[in-house]
Amino acid sequence: MVEHAEPRKASRLIVELRRIRATMLPEVGGKAANLGELIWAGLPVPPGFCLTTEAYRRALQPDGSPEPAVRDILRGLEAVEPGDLEGLASLAARARETVLDAGIPADVEGAVRSAYSALGPDVPVAVRSSATAEDLPFASFAGQQDTYLNVVGADAVLQAVRKCWASLWTDRAVSYRASNGIDHATVTLAVVVQRMVDAEAAGVLFTANPVTGRRREAVIDANPGLGEAVVSGAVNPDHFVVDSLTGRITERRIGDRKLVIRSVPGGGTERLDAEPRAEGGTARDACLADSQIRALAVLGQRVEEHYGAPQDTEWAIDGDGKLWLTQARPITTLYPQMTRQPAVPGPHAYLCFSLAQGLTRPLTPMGLAGIRLMGSSVAGAAGFRVPEPRDGPSPYYEAGQRIYFDLTSVLRSRAGRAIVPRIFDVMEARSASIMRALFEDPRFAVTSKTPFKLLRHVGPIVLRFHLPETLLRALFRPDVALGKVEQLDGNLKATHEVPTDATPREKLDHAERILRTELFPILPNILPPVALGFAMMGLVRKLLGEQASWGELQTIIRGLPNNVTTEMDLALWRLSASIRDDPASAVAFTGGDPAALAESYRDGKLPVVAQSGLASFLRDYGHRAIAEIDLGMPRWSDDPTHIIGVLVNYLRLDDPRLAPDKQFEKAARDAEEQAAVLVARARSKSPLHARIVKMALERTRMFAGLRELPKYHLVRGFAAVRAQVAEAGEALAEAGIIDDASDVFFLDFNDARHGLDGKDLHELVAQRREAYELELKRRHVPRVLLSDGTEPEALPAGLLSGATGAPASDGMLLGTPASAGTVTAVARVIMDPVGAHLEPGEILVAPSTDPGWTPLFLTAGGLVMEMGGPNSHGAVVAREYGIPAIVGVPDATSQISTGQTITVDGAAGTVAF
């Protein structure tokens, strides 16, 4: 169906499969294009022909333009939301009826009869739908359209063609297109007609393991008879896993095979109830011999080598034992492998740094370029050789437009094993658990048993930044240490300034200089006092033992001073209070549309109190954003829509007892009272104990809140870099090198310079935008990936245990405790905070959070996150606001539904529902 008709072009109606190539997809659809490619590659595919998309168009557009009914349906589909399944189903039913009523034009019928007769007299065939949006690299559309097996006779073939055309509009196909953002008006359908394979056995073959992600591992499901029994999920098939490199069958599971589908003489199929088999039988019970299993694995590798990517294939073995391929499509669910190969061969393990930063979405190309330069700065400071800083340091990798670091040297180092997982225990606990599980993998056995290599790289940083002196100052002169941290603010602002008359190239140079030299020193200047603050908690625990429980110590770090993230959130709350108290502002914001209010703010047309208050807030915090480590993400000062939406939500909170500033003040009082209690307990041991505990807790309260400050300063540097890059983008857009200034964030620094030299970048930007949009749809990102594509968390036995978030029982999820307390309330699952609506008191369920999410915490009754550790951003802020929180809960956003009442126990780390 096409909304806008074009002049009718002479076009063929029939194409033999052996003459089809992948480039013909608009004419023959995805399935036929792949079958033609397989034949061209010399692979065994049953012969046949394709009735092209021109035939479908001719049936629906007899005079060259869509029928009125078709136009009405397309307009209706444009107006329906992807989540409106009932509305989509109603329109899909109308579309099917329209297609069936259209019939088959005489010239199309004649072409089909002629092509079918050429296959042989009344030869049994399979009639299969081949849509133009099918078997694509990003969406397989498997099973969305219909197939008819063992069709005999020209009349039966023509009837099957009509049904295939109508199946372009099945409920599932329409819903799938809507959810994948594919325009229904652009999709048409061809039909494949192939000789039928009278299969003795058939099934599916994946050339990579679709569950674990492991490449070079063939996974085969097989059943006697036609493959429909396997594809439809009607049986528990025989299951085989083969190491594609060695041919060794590594797994064998015999299914019950209680159903067999076979061809019926004269046409059609029958479903036969077979004698059920006990699962777990021997090789002799299998429907495939070992030689056939290995032959399938080899055939699968030939298919993968032809396409250059793992494939999901369907196959059949005829009565003579010949193997046939009946379909191949990309495995679209596999997570991409690293964009480059490691310099040292052998197995490698990669940790997702994006997830450690609470970032599930992909980074823009310019965002990745910025992280590469930052990583090179860190590596250079640690004494590592970095040949080209723009490529990143040697441990830096990218996959799926997300950041990964090679973890192999950590796993093979005794010192690395002792230190790194402990850091991740408080950052991203599930990642730490996977690391420890990999300690048992012989491929990552310890080869470095002394700490000398680690010291060689840590030493330069310790000496250059005088870390021992900084720690001693924080311990004995805490006010001076805090003052030095506060001095950084002015120093950093000076490094961000650039002359107003700088050229676009000079602005790019300045942006790179910030990333290369100015940002990394933030970390060693701020983190030592933070580390000391948390170490003091450990000291108190050591001195008091069971007299200082972890729950009591967690109270100490509530309502912390010097936490820039909570200061930001409370400033936003105070702004909402001033808006509430100003009649004109309150009227504008109560129930207002955030986008419209943002436009009014940009035009200076908000009521005075709201306009000036928002401007003041953005002067201090406008450099922040959602996914703020990505240079390509707009800052709040660029687009305040999200912040305005949060303010609108705040105005819904009408219980003064729940006011966040009051909650924060109470948390601070509770902390001070708990500190006094612990000091009193220490005094019962000795006056010296009391002095030490008092001193330790004072430093914890003073320095622990600084944990958020390094990222605050880093992100402010990123905002300065983004501003310079954006101005270069404006120059590129004015020169016609790119369409829009924002396109510059889909380039890297080298690309931008080439553009300033006059190179046209339109095609490059388009390709990268398309890839980025596809990655935005990815819901699952592996925490750890092995170099063969394996995701350790997905291995059958699992690598995680109780404390890391494995399901405890039905109706119960386990995670890592992050903020004590118990709350029972309605859950609100939020995947993206921009424009999110959270009722006061609801429990926020999110994949992860960074500081850009935390304004939502002020009105949340509790927090559940899939990622994070007890000292990740979300956990820290949740504790300060005193809301129960659990992090590291696997699949929380899919296990829990919006509107569901759940109970969060932040001390036990459980979610009950």
Side-chain angles (χ1 to χ4, degrees):
M1 295 186 180
V2 180
E3 177 69 50
H4 303 292
E6 297 179 358
R8 180 74 73 190
K9 299 177 182 178
S11 179
R12 50 190 169 178
L13 297 173
I14 298 291
V15 184
E16 290 183 79
L17 290 180
R18 64 188 178 91
R19 301 189 183 280
I20 291 174
R21 297 293 180 268
T23 55
M24 297 167 61
L25 187 144
E27 183 181 6
V28 300
K31 187 178 280 87
N34 281 340
L35 289 171
E37 276 292 304
L38 293 173
I39 294 173
W40 181 81
L43 295 162
V45 175
F49 63 88
C50 175
L51 180 64
T52 67
T53 55
E54 172 66 15
Y56 175 84
R57 280 190 292 269
R58 195 164 298 181
L60 271 295
Q61 302 174 18
D63 61 354
S65 60
E67 295 180 350
V70 175
R71 289 195 294 269
D72 290 345
I73 292 167
L74 290 174
R75 279 194 289 269
L77 288 169
E78 287 178 3
V80 174
E81 292 294 323
D84 183 1
L85 300 182
E86 186 176 341
L88 290 172
S90 175
L91 289 164
R94 285 177 55 194
R96 291 194 298 274
E97 184 179 351
T98 299
V99 172
L100 290 172
D101 288 346
I104 299 180
D107 58 341
V108 174
E109 178 179 339
V112 172
R113 289 183 181 278
S114 176
Y116 174 70
S117 66
L119 291 176
D122 287 338
V123 61
V125 293
V127 181
R128 315 172 68 193
S129 303
S130 181
T132 51
E134 181 179 48
D135 295 351
L136 304 177
F138 64 91
S140 70
F141 286 75
Q144 300 305 310
Q145 283 85 41
D146 290 344
T147 288
Y148 298 91
L149 301 176
N150 199 39
V151 179
V152 178
D155 290 340
V157 169
L158 288 166
Q159 184 179 10
V161 165
R162 291 176 63 205
K163 291 179 179 178
C164 284
W165 283 347
S167 74
L168 184 63
W169 300 96
T170 60
D171 294 356
R172 60 184 182 272
V174 169
S175 176
Y176 197 80
R177 288 197 295 270
S179 63
N180 279 277
I182 294 176
D183 185 357
H184 301 279
T186 64
V187 180
T188 55
L189 191 113
V191 180
V192 170
V193 179
Q194 281 180 283
R195 277 185 178 271
M196 188 72 189
V197 177
D198 192 9
E200 287 296 309
V204 297
L205 158 68
F206 292 89
T207 66
N209 193 313
V211 176
T212 68
R214 180 172 293 160
R215 270 62 168 185
R216 298 297 181 181
E217 187 170 77
V219 178
I220 301 167
D221 285 344
N223 201 66
L226 302 179
E228 176 65 17
V230 176
V231 174
S232 66
V235 295
N236 294 318
D238 292 354
H239 178 80
F240 311 98
V241 178
V242 184
D243 185 321
S244 303
L245 295 176
T246 65
R248 184 169 67 92
I249 301 171
T250 59
E251 185 180 341
R252 185 195 311 270
R253 187 173 66 245
I254 306 305
D256 55 26
R257 306 204 309 259
K258 59 185 178 182
L259 174 70
V260 176
I261 301 177
R262 295 198 182 277
S263 298
V264 175
T269 61
E270 61 181 355
R271 303 164 71 90
L272 305 173
D273 294 327
E275 186 69 27
R277 294 174 177 266
E279 292 194 43
T282 66
R284 286 186 300 177
D285 298 318
C287 66
L288 296 179
D290 284 4
S291 59
Q292 292 174 314
I293 295 169
R294 294 189 181 95
L296 275 169
V298 170
L299 183 60
Q301 282 306 298
R302 289 178 61 194
V303 177
E304 180 174 315
E305 287 166 8
H306 174 71
Y307 284 104
Q311 298 290 304
D312 164 9
T313 71
E314 295 178 19
W315 54 270
I317 300 177
D318 66 20
D320 296 326
K322 180 175 175 58
L323 270 175
W324 295 95
L325 285 169
T326 57
Q327 190 152 301
R329 60 169 75 90
I331 305 176
T332 58
T333 56
L334 290 175
Y335 194 79
Q337 291 191 284
M338 301 299 147
T339 53
R340 61 187 175 92
Q341 293 298 312
V344 179
H348 286 253
Y350 305 95
L351 174 76
C352 186
F353 183 75
S354 289
L355 291 184
Q357 287 294 305
L359 186 62
T360 55
R361 62 185 293 143
L363 276 75
T364 59
M366 188 61 77
L368 290 169
I371 298 296
R372 288 197 295 270
L373 284 171
M374 270 281 297
S376 296
S377 174
V378 175
F384 289 98
R385 182 173 173 269
V386 184
E388 172 46 67
R390 291 176 188 165
D391 294 338
S394 57
Y396 176 94
Y397 286 82
E398 294 170 9
Q401 298 170 44
R402 292 162 179 94
I403 309 161
Y404 282 81
F405 279 95
D406 193 338
L407 196 64
T408 311
S409 60
V410 170
L411 298 174
R412 290 178 174 159
S413 162
R414 186 168 290 168
R417 288 185 173 200
I419 297 171
V420 175
R422 292 185 180 182
I423 295 173
F424 274 85
D425 280 335
V426 296
M427 283 182 61
E428 220 292 303
R430 289 171 66 193
S431 295
S433 187
I434 300 171
M435 289 183 213
R436 292 188 174 99
L438 289 174
F439 292 172
E440 307 302 319
D441 191 325
R443 294 175 296 176
F444 301 110
V446 171
T447 57
S448 178
K449 299 182 179 180
T450 67
F452 297 134
K453 188 175 181 181
L454 174 65
L455 293 173
R456 190 168 71 244
H457 294 297
V458 173
I461 295 176
V462 170
L463 295 175
R464 175 182 168 187
F465 294 100
H466 311 289
L467 297 191
E469 178 186 338
T470 304
L471 283 170
L472 289 171
R473 185 186 302 116
L475 183 60
F476 295 109
R477 303 183 66 192
D479 292 333
V480 174
L482 189 60
K484 283 192 169 291
V485 168
E486 291 171 347
Q487 277 181 345
L488 277 175
D489 189 59
N491 297 339
L492 289 170
K493 284 182 179 177
T495 67
H496 298 163
E497 295 176 0
V498 63
T500 55
D501 59 349
T503 67
R505 189 177 296 276
E506 288 170 339
K507 289 174 181 176
L508 288 178
D509 291 342
H510 179 70
E512 286 200 74
R513 182 182 61 77
I514 292 175
L515 293 165
R516 288 186 180 190
T517 64
E518 305 299 339
L519 297 186
F520 170 65
I522 292 170
L523 303 177
N525 277 298
I526 298 177
L527 288 181
V530 177
L532 178 75
F534 283 103
M536 290 295 98
M537 286 179 62
L539 176 62
V540 172
R541 173 76 168 171
K542 186 79 171 175
L543 290 173
L544 294 182
E546 294 182 0
Q547 287 185 290
S549 69
W550 280 118
E552 291 173 321
L553 291 174
Q554 290 291 315
T555 302
I556 296 295
I557 54 176
R558 285 187 170 177
L560 288 170
N562 305 319
N563 186 320
V564 68
T565 300
T566 53
E567 289 170 358
M568 173 189 75
D569 293 342
L570 291 172
L572 191 61
W573 172 256
R574 288 191 293 271
L575 173 56
S576 74
S578 66
I579 290 173
R580 185 193 301 270
D581 293 339
D582 177 62
S585 299
V587 169
F589 273 72
T590 302
D593 175 56
L597 289 168
E599 188 64 33
S600 295
Y601 169 76
R602 283 188 284 266
D603 294 339
K605 295 181 179 178
L606 287 178
V608 174
V609 169
Q611 184 76 26
S612 61
L614 186 55
S616 176
F617 176 85
L618 292 176
R619 275 195 298 273
D620 292 333
Y621 302 106
H623 62 279
R624 308 219 73 160
I626 304 300
E628 58 193 3
I629 67 169
D630 184 356
L631 296 176
M633 293 299 290
R635 309 290 110 173
W636 289 340
S637 55
D638 299 327
D639 182 4
T641 303
H642 168 57
I643 285 301
I644 290 174
V646 173
L647 288 168
V648 170
N649 272 345
Y650 283 180
L651 294 176
R652 301 170 64 86
L653 184 62
D654 53 13
D655 186 344
R657 295 171 301 172
L658 299 178
D661 52 347
K662 303 300 181 186
Q663 296 280 357
F664 183 78
E665 291 170 7
K666 181 181 182 302
R669 287 195 304 272
D670 291 345
E672 296 294 344
E673 291 169 3
Q674 184 64 64
V677 169
L678 294 177
V679 170
R681 290 175 186 170
R683 190 172 293 113
S684 68
K685 290 179 176 286
S686 75
L688 179 60
H689 276 80
R691 284 196 297 273
I692 294 174
V693 168
K694 184 174 185 295
M695 178 271 292
L697 294 180
E698 285 174 349
R699 279 145 186 78
T700 294
R701 295 283 301 163
M702 180 178 288
F703 294 130
L706 296 176
R707 180 250 184 271
E708 296 288 299
L709 191 58
K711 190 170 186 181
Y712 174 86
H713 286 314
L714 288 173
V715 170
R716 193 166 61 182
F718 289 159
V721 170
R722 175 182 166 84
Q724 302 307 315
V725 172
E727 291 189 28
E730 290 174 4
L732 291 171
E734 288 176 6
I737 301 298
I738 55 180
D739 286 329
D740 185 84
S742 65
D743 289 346
V744 73
F745 296 107
F746 290 89
L747 308 171
D748 60 25
F749 287 101
N750 288 333
D751 300 326
R753 284 188 171 82
H754 292 154
L756 293 174
D757 290 336
K759 180 180 179 181
D760 186 271
L761 298 172
H762 288 87
E763 184 176 351
L764 180 62
V765 168
Q767 291 171 354
R768 289 187 178 164
R769 275 193 180 274
E770 181 180 10
Y772 178 77
E773 292 294 330
L774 290 177
E775 278 301 322
L776 277 176
K777 298 175 182 178
R778 189 180 298 279
R779 290 291 301 272
H780 175 70
V781 180
R783 283 173 170 76
V784 174
L785 274 175
L786 304 187
S787 46
D788 64 359
T790 302
E791 182 184 353
E793 275 190 290
L795 292 174
L799 289 176
L800 301 182
S801 59
T804 62
S809 61
D810 290 342
M812 178 78 74
L813 298 176
L814 283 180
T816 300
S819 179
T822 302
V823 60
T824 300
V826 170
R828 174 79 62 173
V829 179
I830 295 178
M831 305 302 294
D832 185 341
V834 177
H837 177 75
L838 185 70
E839 290 285 346
E842 288 183 330
I843 296 171
L844 170 61
V845 182
S848 65
T849 62
D850 64 9
W853 284 71
T854 58
L856 291 174
F857 290 16
L858 287 179
T859 56
L863 172 67
V864 178
M865 286 169 32
E866 293 182 335
M867 264 73 76
N871 207 23
S872 57
H873 293 286
V876 168
V877 177
R879 279 196 299 271
E880 297 213 12
Y881 295 154
I883 62 174
I886 305 172
V887 298
V889 181
D891 305 319
T893 59
S894 57
Q895 296 282 340
I896 301 170
S897 303
T898 293
Q900 186 176 15
T901 299
I902 63 174
T903 297
V904 172
D905 186 333
T910 60
V911 182
F913 52 92

